[in-house]
Amino acid sequence: MQQNKHVRPLAARIGAVLLPWLMAMAAIPATGAPAVPAELIVRNGSIYTVQGNKPWAEAFAVRGGRYVAVGGNADVAALAGPQTRVIDLHGAMAMPGINDVHGHPLDGAYEDLYACNFAPSATPAQVLARVAECAARAEPGDWVVGGAWSSTLMADISTPAMLAALDRASAGHPVLLRDETFHNRWANSEAMQRAGIGASSANPAGGIIARDADSGQPTGLFKEFPAFLALERQIPPRTQARQLNAARAAGATLNAVGITGVQDAFTSEGTLRIWSQVDRGPGLPLHLVASLSTMPAADPAERTGLALADGRDTYRGSNLRPDFAKIFLDGIPPARTAEFLAPYLPDAEHGAHFHGQSNYTRAQLVDLLAAFDRRGIPVKIHATGDGSVRLALDAVEAVRQRNGMPGQRHQIAHASFIAGSDLARFRQLGVSADISPMIWYPTGIGMATAMAIGPERAAHIFPIRDLTRAGALVAGGSDWPAGQATPNPWMGIEGLVTRRDPVGAFPGALWPEQAVDLATALRIYTLNSAEAMGLGRETGSIEVGKSADFIVLDRNLFKVPATQIHQATVKQTFFRGRQVYPRGE
């Protein structure tokens, strides 16, 4: 018998209402019966709950990893028992843990531990000096892999002279360096030779091999994943021991800045296997939602796309949810691989009327999106240009007509540039806007974007206030390690409020009319992100029945100047009622 498609959503809504009520009832003893003691009580605090009608509380109690009481000190006092741990905040601010809707935590931690790293502010000469240092320490046969060079340097490094300089610095080792966006690579001659890339190599679909205008030889610059896939496949695979070490380090790094939930924005089967092993061993110290890759795998033996999605439950665990897929609809503006409604600035390579091109036709995108949607799998769609954002919304609209409403809550990742007429469609179609302020508040990426589309258009990036006013679900992420060397959410939160670079490396404000208030910014990074990730009933706010994921800060964010938000320090992080940072307390 076919089940009514409305029964399960209705049951879920009923459960969402009943669970908190049942948990609250469990905290209240029957007449004459003692209360079941809580395992943890937090009291005497300025507790920001992110509940719309009750944004502040003084105390809460936790049992079985969930909140069983939230309110004043007196409301939780009866739940104290001889074994209850009591934390007196002495007025300090506590709030829900941060949910990062867009990160690459395994890559971030692996690079911190093992890569040849340098800051995006590095000049070409500094990059070459760093490569020489890494090459001098490398063992025979090792690759020098790292980053991140600034996307403003693409024209500077894409010359025969710079390729020759990189070859000299590498001392015979193959070199592959990424930019800060993760979308482009710089390779030396040894790496290209090993990958079989030369003057006769054709541009793969969706990728560009930059060439010298006179000789036609590759310059070493590769734009977008398909272009450098052959290079990636030549790099010796990461050992399991190193990946497990990086996965554990990623959890510790995220917990230390207050993150208790993260969406891995691009998850290969190999990465999914590592996350699963950690979760089934010591356990992940946060909620992790995986976005399954639809791209060709660096390891040809790994599944991708629908095949990986159909086998995803093999990897599901207590804290690991392989519930999303990932589609790259376009690239990035600095590389002119994003699709825009208006053309890029004229250049010698593209002419005066180049708009960029999405990686899928409308029909291809609709078919793929509909297939995931039917399987109950929402999709994170990478789209940065306003042309690709419109195409993504058009495709979701077609899928809604084909598969029916409400369908899955898909995400448009980055949604950097949005035509005004498309703002309301996010809410109408139930699409989340996944935004990463740490990339777009005045940064080098912004400067590179201005070089491609002009400073006036580049300044009109991320209309956050307009999106929220239009009723869109806006969720916040770091994109770590792309753009920034840290997943620190307080940088992004301050950027939402000020529209300025928190550390002052890049002056000025970026479209200050789109600033939001602190309460909105905190909701974007907590409850909104949880809802976008499919975890809204589980976490994101301090409410009875939800997972006790919370943090204690060194300052009340509402009582300091907005320009000091990025200086906030997390004193303690709790996940499912268990302290995960600092460990050992």
Side-chain angles (χ1 to χ4, degrees):
M1 180 181 296
Q2 186 176 15
Q3 187 179 32
N4 187 314
K5 66 180 180 180
H6 299 293
V7 170
R8 292 182 65 185
L10 177 61
R13 287 195 296 271
I14 293 173
V17 173
L18 285 180
L19 179 60
W21 181 83
L22 290 171
M23 295 295 291
M25 292 302 100
I28 301 174
T31 303
V36 178
E39 294 152 6
L40 171 68
I41 286 178
V42 177
R43 62 190 302 273
N44 281 341
S46 297
I47 300 169
Y48 191 62
T49 67
V50 195
Q51 288 193 63
N53 58 341
K54 296 180 179 179
W56 292 96
E58 191 177 33
F60 57 77
V62 177
R63 186 191 311 119
R66 296 186 179 273
Y67 301 111
V68 292
V70 179
N73 288 330
D75 298 320
V76 304
L79 295 173
Q83 303 300 317
T84 301
R85 178 185 178 186
V86 178
I87 297 176
D88 192 323
L89 294 180
H90 300 289
M93 181 177 176
M95 59 174 283
I98 298 295
N99 291 299
D100 186 327
V101 78
H102 194 123
H104 305 275
L106 190 61
D107 284 333
Y110 194 95
E111 287 195 358
D112 285 349
L113 292 170
Y114 305 114
C116 181
N117 287 346
F118 45 87
S121 59
T123 65
Q126 290 170 330
V127 172
L128 293 172
R130 177 63 176 149
V131 168
E133 291 176 4
C134 296
R137 293 196 303 268
E139 298 291 334
D142 280 354
W143 283 61
V144 176
V145 179
W149 48 272
S150 170
S151 49
T152 61
L153 300 179
M154 275 191 280
D156 296 327
I157 65 176
S158 187
T159 67
M162 284 302 296
L163 178 59
L166 183 61
D167 289 343
R168 289 192 297 271
S170 63
H173 292 278
V175 175
L176 190 63
L177 307 174
R178 71 168 180 86
D179 74 340
E180 85 275 60
T181 73
F182 258 84
H183 282 253
N184 308 298
R185 298 292 188 273
W186 187 23
N188 71 346
S189 296
E190 179 67 20
M192 290 190 285
Q193 182 178 348
R194 294 195 184 193
I197 297 171
S200 62
S201 300
N203 285 338
I208 299 171
I209 301 172
R211 305 172 193 278
D212 176 56
D214 295 327
S215 68
Q217 292 288 340
T219 63
L221 174 64
F222 294 80
K223 300 179 182 180
E224 300 299 336
F225 179 80
F228 54 78
L229 176 59
L231 292 158
E232 297 269 353
R233 284 179 167 168
Q234 296 302 313
I235 300 173
R238 298 174 177 178
T239 66
Q240 185 181 49
R242 281 190 169 191
Q243 289 194 86
L244 288 171
N245 193 28
R248 290 188 286 268
T253 296
L254 294 170
N255 288 159
V257 293
I259 295 171
T260 55
V262 65
Q263 182 165 352
D264 186 332
F266 180 75
T267 317
S268 68
E269 186 168 21
T271 299
L272 193 59
R273 191 177 294 118
I274 292 297
W275 290 134
S276 177
Q277 190 169 340
V278 173
D279 197 37
R280 295 178 183 184
L284 289 165
L286 41 63
H287 306 282
L288 195 146
V289 176
S291 309
L292 309 178
S293 168
T294 58
M295 300 285 282
D299 180 353
E302 290 184 0
R303 294 174 294 179
T304 66
L306 295 172
L308 179 55
D310 289 341
R312 69 192 186 280
D313 283 338
T314 303
Y315 301 103
R316 188 178 299 279
S318 300
N319 306 308
L320 175 59
R321 302 191 184 200
D323 290 343
F324 274 72
K326 175 66 175 288
I327 292 174
F328 284 93
L329 187 52
D330 71 355
I332 56 169
R336 301 190 181 220
T337 49
E339 182 174 5
F340 280 92
L341 298 175
Y344 285 90
L345 294 177
D347 71 349
E349 181 180 355
H350 302 94
H353 306 287
F354 182 68
H355 293 252
Q357 184 175 349
S358 296
N359 297 325
Y360 295 82
T361 66
R362 184 181 186 278
Q364 290 170 335
L365 182 60
V366 170
D367 286 345
L368 183 56
L369 194 60
F372 282 114
D373 192 83
R374 282 195 302 271
R375 287 167 167 79
I377 301 173
V379 178
K380 183 186 284 289
I381 308 169
H382 172 106
T384 59
D386 54 11
S388 290
V389 169
R390 177 167 293 177
L391 177 58
L393 293 169
D394 288 346
V396 172
E397 185 172 7
V399 169
R400 299 290 188 239
Q401 294 168 355
R402 182 183 298 187
N403 289 356
M405 294 289 286
Q408 306 307 309
R409 178 175 279 283
H410 304 292
Q411 302 173 359
I412 296 183
H414 304 307
S416 310
F417 296 91
I418 308 170
S421 58
D422 287 329
L423 290 166
R425 300 179 70 197
F426 280 80
R427 180 179 182 276
Q428 293 164 0
L429 296 170
V431 174
S432 302
D434 156 0
I435 56 103
S436 300
M438 292 158 68
I439 293 176
W440 57 261
Y441 59 60
T443 63
I445 296 177
M447 294 171 61
T449 298
M451 293 165 61
I453 63 174
E456 183 176 351
R457 284 171 62 192
H460 288 78
I461 186 171
F462 281 102
I464 306 303
R465 190 175 185 187
D466 288 346
L467 278 169
T468 58
R469 284 182 169 181
L473 181 68
V474 180
S478 64
D479 205 9
W480 177 57
Q484 293 280 350
T486 172
N488 184 351
W490 313 108
M491 300 278 286
I493 289 168
E494 181 174 317
L496 283 175
V497 176
T498 67
R499 303 285 297 200
R500 294 178 178 272
D501 173 13
V503 297
F506 296 89
L510 186 62
W511 204 4
E513 295 83 1
Q514 294 299 324
V516 297
D517 61 25
L518 177 59
T520 300
L522 292 178
R523 186 180 180 93
I524 283 173
Y525 268 83
T526 54
L527 185 56
N528 282 16
S529 287
E531 290 176 350
M533 293 159 60
L535 299 175
R537 297 190 181 99
E538 175 71 7
T539 189
S541 58
I542 297 177
E543 298 183 59
V544 169
K546 285 192 173 184
S547 179
D549 311 324
F550 65 92
I551 56 180
V552 180
L553 300 176
D554 69 339
R555 68 197 68 196
N556 188 323
L557 301 177
F558 289 89
K559 294 183 178 181
V560 299
T563 53
Q564 294 180 14
I565 293 172
H566 77 280
Q567 298 172 355
T569 299
V570 175
K571 296 167 66 177
Q572 292 174 303
T573 302
F574 286 76
F575 172 63
R576 297 194 186 279
R578 177 174 60 91
Q579 185 167 332
V580 292
Y581 174 80
R583 294 181 183 272
E585 289 193 5

